[in-house]
Amino acid sequence: QEPESSGASHFRLAAGRIPEVPFGLSSSPAVLSHYGVAANTVTLFRRVDNDRRDLDMNSKDVDTEKIIRFIRMNELRLVTEYNPVTAVGVMQSSLELNLLLITDKMSPKHRERMRRYRAAAELFKGKILFILVDINLNSNERVMSFFKLKKSQLPALAIFHVPDEEQDVLTLDDISVERVQNFCNRFLQ
């Protein structure tokens, strides 16, 4: 409601520290009404699963760090890297299908794998949540054991249907858009 309030100031500081996320600030009643947003609220719109998260700014203890943490915990990207911070947003996603690329980010092939994985993610936006799991994070070893994978079998794709825990795994030497697409389509059928 007040563009010069301390809450708006914290919002602007958070926006400056997360340049890859588009921010907007509005006090227009028409805009708030159009999006169904309450005044003094930070609303995060997630295009990947067409969902949103709200942070009430009326609390006195909301500062720049809490806004940044709220965004980092709840944002989902075309490909979301799984780690202890993003786990919250991944688990709360409205998408029931998760596709995990379990790989080594230190590999010289990582950049090209990610380019192809992102291209495949575009094809399933709004249907499947694409997740990157880096095996170099100790906390991700549980993910590998859940899918009964060893490091020698990586990289691998693992698809998981949240409601009934149905899953499938595909180990592969290299990632291609076609292989990802075929794997997803086969599981969807």
Side-chain angles (χ1 to χ4, degrees):
Q1 292 299 79
E2 301 160 27
E4 302 309 317
S5 68
S6 68
S9 174
H10 287 298
F11 181 81
R12 284 188 192 90
L13 288 169
R17 297 206 6 225
I18 311 176
E20 68 276 14
V21 175
F23 280 75
L25 183 64
S26 179
S27 60
S28 163
V31 170
L32 298 177
S33 173
H34 174 77
Y35 289 106
V37 176
N40 299 322
T41 302
V42 172
T43 300
L44 177 68
F45 296 96
R46 303 191 316 194
R47 283 186 235 149
V48 171
D49 64 355
N50 295 318
D51 208 350
R52 67 184 258 189
R53 297 286 180 265
D54 294 322
L55 174 65
D56 184 356
M57 293 291 291
N58 290 316
S59 172
K60 297 287 184 237
D61 66 339
V62 175
D63 61 9
T64 304
E65 293 306 316
K66 287 193 176 160
I67 294 171
I68 290 171
R69 183 162 170 71
F70 166 77
I71 291 166
R72 289 296 185 213
M73 283 175 59
N74 290 289
E75 73 174 324
L76 291 179
R77 298 168 181 232
L78 196 56
V79 174
T80 301
E81 184 169 346
Y82 187 80
N83 59 46
V85 175
T86 61
V88 173
V90 167
M91 298 301 174
Q92 292 178 349
S93 172
S94 60
L95 295 177
E96 295 183 338
L97 277 174
N98 295 338
L99 180 70
L100 292 74
L101 170 59
I102 305 169
T103 189
D104 179 358
K105 277 180 62 176
M106 303 310 243
S107 164
K109 297 180 180 179
H110 178 70
R111 179 170 287 196
E112 184 58 24
R113 278 185 194 138
M114 283 305 298
R115 187 187 68 71
R116 293 175 183 164
Y117 192 59
R118 276 192 194 92
E122 285 281 354
L123 303 172
F124 294 96
K125 196 183 329 187
K127 295 179 190 151
I128 300 175
L129 182 61
F130 278 61
I131 302 167
L132 169 69
V133 179
D134 180 17
I135 61 164
N136 296 306
L137 274 180
N138 289 338
S139 58
N140 287 341
E141 286 178 10
R142 290 183 22 219
V143 175
M144 281 181 28
S145 65
F146 179 80
F147 290 105
K148 297 172 181 63
L149 286 166
K150 298 176 182 74
K151 284 190 177 186
S152 62
Q153 296 173 289
L154 301 178
L157 292 174
I159 196 162
F160 182 75
H161 186 241
V162 177
D164 61 12
E165 296 189 4
E166 185 179 342
Q167 60 178 275
D168 194 8
V169 174
L170 174 67
T171 58
L172 30 84
D173 300 329
D174 204 16
I175 302 238
S176 72
V177 175
E178 295 77 25
R179 288 192 78 185
V180 174
Q181 188 176 13
N182 290 340
F183 181 64
C184 291
N185 285 333
R186 201 173 64 239
F187 190 82
L188 287 168
Q189 290 170 354

